[in-house]
Amino acid sequence: MMHFYCSRCEKDYPIEGLDYQCECGGLFQLYKEEDEKITATVSLGEVKTPIIKRILQGREIYLKLDYMQPTGSFKDRGAFAVINKLKELGINEIVEDSSGNAGAAFAGYCAAAGIKCNIYLPESTSPGKIKQINAYKANVVKVPGTRDDTAKAILKAAKTTYYASHVYNPLFFEGTKSLAFEIYEQIGIPDYIVVPAGNGTMLLGIYKGFKEMGRLPRIIVVQSRNCAPVFSKFKNQSVGEMKPTAAEGIAIQEPKRIDEMIEAVTDSKGDIIVVDDVEVIKAQEMLGEMGIYIEVTSGAAVAGMLQYFKDGYDNKLNIVVPLTGMGLKK
Ligand SMILES: [Zn+2]
């Protein structure tokens, strides 16, 4: 039967329990039988997102328009899987900490499922970002202080209410995996896939998905130069002090699954690169000029692709860049 297990000591845990990580400190992975599926009773009208071929500065690439999900970002894939499973298990209230797309996705799916949703975020979060979460009537808990203070507050709340974390809860990756299956259906296994990464929810999802299919594209991970812990650890190279970045959706200072992220990139014979804010904003504008409106963070992957293939490449290669969030978001 589907359950969690610790990636460090292999102890089993039930999905519906309040433990969000192992008592040994290890992170959970999901165990499921080969034919075991999540029963989907909650839907907001998920779509197979379009994939379109475009030429960007002479490079032919596929853009996967993953912002065309119900709440406007790819995070719906994860929230769909988590909330459907929790609904089946009879969970009626969750807590989650995200001021961005994951918070909106959980709030939306909880509204559809009739599950009470509490989103914790730093007091300093811009009102624009809270607007969408409020529309879904989630309870917004503003925590004074830094992002770290929010993290402390959520861990306290998680002692009594189910923590539907998009980082700790492996059901989330079970959902983001579907991105890999869809790309396969649309164009087969690509040669390269360029993904932005903060906590690695998309990276780990596509890695698990392609791994199940038996062949991996080379995964090129893009981080902001202003906040690049995964790049630094992978390259054993410092990029200096962490600073705020325009690509705020991937500005995660301490990604919990950093070792898994590096393992995925290494296994795929991929690479990790960093991009500057100016390149990210330029990439967003470039797509806007083509009629494609993405949020700034999503520009990071496009900027990364342009940088990684700056010397050109064999045009027979299939390169996919998923676009994570809609431009109307902010
Ligand atoms: Zn353990």
Side-chain angles (χ1 to χ4, degrees):
M1 216 178 76
M2 216 181 269
H3 60 262
F4 294 154
Y5 66 94
C6 171
S7 54
R8 198 186 287 170
C9 75
E10 293 187 356
K11 188 179 169 188
D12 288 347
Y13 287 82
I15 291 175
E16 65 271 33
L18 284 177
D19 294 294
Y20 56 88
Q21 71 179 131
C22 183
E23 56 191 1
C24 83
L27 294 170
F28 288 160
Q29 297 290 341
L30 181 71
Y31 172 84
K32 66 178 179 83
E33 304 283 349
E34 211 165 293
D35 57 352
E36 221 175 346
K37 291 216 162 55
I38 294 172
T39 320
T41 57
V42 183
S43 169
L44 284 174
E46 302 69 40
V47 290
K48 184 184 289 179
T49 58
I51 194 162
I52 58 176
K53 202 180 242 186
R54 288 292 182 273
I55 294 171
L56 274 182
Q57 295 187 345
R59 303 163 192 79
E60 194 177 75
I61 55 156
Y62 286 101
L63 297 171
K64 173 79 169 151
L65 312 184
D66 227 39
Y67 55 80
M68 287 195 183
Q69 294 288 359
T71 78
S73 88
F74 83 97
K75 291 270 184 3
D76 286 347
R77 294 180 183 276
F80 172 82
V82 176
I83 296 305
N84 268 292
K85 188 67 190 171
L86 297 188
K87 181 81 181 165
E88 182 193 321
L89 294 168
I91 305 282
N92 54 27
E93 182 170 3
I94 63 148
V95 292
E96 153 76 336
D97 53 332
S98 160
S99 55
N101 291 338
F106 272 110
Y109 276 89
C110 279
I115 291 175
K116 191 162 184 256
C117 180
N118 304 280
I119 304 287
Y120 282 61
L121 36 83
E123 204 175 41
S124 56
T125 305
S126 61
K129 292 171 82 179
I130 306 173
K131 212 172 166 184
Q132 188 181 10
I133 297 172
N134 273 338
Y136 299 130
K137 297 289 180 246
N139 176 37
V140 173
V141 183
K142 292 179 194 162
V143 183
T146 63
R147 182 70 185 81
D148 277 351
D149 294 320
T150 304
K152 271 179 213 145
I154 190 84
L155 294 187
K156 200 172 160 212
K159 286 191 177 122
T160 52
T161 310
Y162 194 91
Y163 186 18
S165 169
H166 62 291
V167 180
Y168 288 101
N169 197 315
L171 285 168
F172 198 87
F173 303 104
E174 197 58 20
T176 51
K177 240 165 63 170
S178 63
L179 179 57
F181 301 136
E182 257 182 48
I183 292 171
Y184 173 73
E185 270 180 46
Q186 289 169 319
I187 62 156
I189 310 264
D191 298 292
Y192 287 89
I193 182 159
V194 185
V195 296
N199 273 315
T201 48
M202 178 177 272
L203 161 64
L204 294 174
I206 56 154
Y207 172 70
K208 284 169 202 275
F210 283 116
K211 193 82 181 164
E212 268 182 31
M213 287 184 271
R215 213 186 103 205
L216 290 171
R218 283 181 199 259
I219 304 173
I220 310 302
V221 163
V222 186
Q223 291 217 287
S224 163
R225 186 182 300 280
N226 290 0
C227 184
V230 191
F231 170 86
S232 296
K233 191 164 182 182
F234 180 72
K235 300 273 193 193
N236 196 17
Q237 176 189 328
S238 171
V239 285
E241 200 188 326
M242 291 188 195
K243 293 186 287 254
T245 163
E248 59 181 11
I250 51 169
I252 306 295
Q253 296 191 2
E254 289 176 28
K256 292 274 177 272
R257 295 188 184 265
I258 188 167
D259 293 334
E260 275 177 66
M261 292 165 76
I262 288 173
E263 199 186 305
V265 173
T266 307
D267 191 24
S268 82
K269 301 185 175 61
D271 204 353
I272 305 181
I273 58 174
V274 286
V275 290
D276 294 314
D277 273 7
V278 49
E279 298 172 81
V280 173
I281 293 161
K282 216 172 110 191
Q284 184 210 21
E285 287 171 0
M286 195 185 294
L287 289 202
E289 285 163 16
M290 299 165 74
I292 299 165
Y293 191 36
I294 54 171
E295 66 175 336
V296 182
T297 298
S298 306
V302 178
M305 185 281 298
L306 292 173
Q307 185 198 113
Y308 191 77
F309 295 105
K310 63 178 181 299
D311 301 322
Y313 58 88
D314 179 350
N315 250 340
K316 285 192 204 78
L317 291 177
N318 281 337
I319 299 163
V320 175
V321 180
L323 301 177
T324 49
M326 184 178 282
L328 296 170
K329 274 283 193 177
K330 280 201 67 190

